[in-house]
Amino acid sequence: MTVVERREVALVDLLDRLLAGGVVVTGDVTLRIADVDLVRIDLNALISSVNDTVPSPWGDAR
């Protein structure tokens, strides 16, 4: 094993790295009975941190 393979990353560090660059989550769920679609859920989400270089879309919330 190399040093990179043994490196442990805390969950907080992983979330910090993901939010710094942004994460896009997409998914589809369909509940179907007897080939009839009863419920369909589409998920599209962009998760990102907000700072001085990436301002909040809701303006100044102070």
Side-chain angles (χ1 to χ4, degrees):
M1 282 189 172
T2 65
V3 175
V4 175
E5 292 174 357
R6 290 184 177 197
R7 184 174 176 200
E8 295 181 15
V9 177
L11 181 59
V12 173
D13 294 333
L14 180 62
L15 287 175
D16 184 48
R17 291 178 190 173
L18 288 174
L19 291 177
V23 178
V24 176
V25 179
T26 60
D28 297 319
V29 176
T30 304
L31 177 61
R32 177 184 290 188
I33 297 177
D35 290 332
V36 176
D37 292 346
L38 299 177
V39 177
R40 181 175 181 196
I41 300 172
D42 294 328
L43 171 68
N44 296 308
L46 171 63
I47 303 169
S48 179
S49 62
V50 176
N51 58 28
D52 293 336
T53 58
V54 182
S56 171
W58 297 282
D60 190 19
R62 292 184 210 175

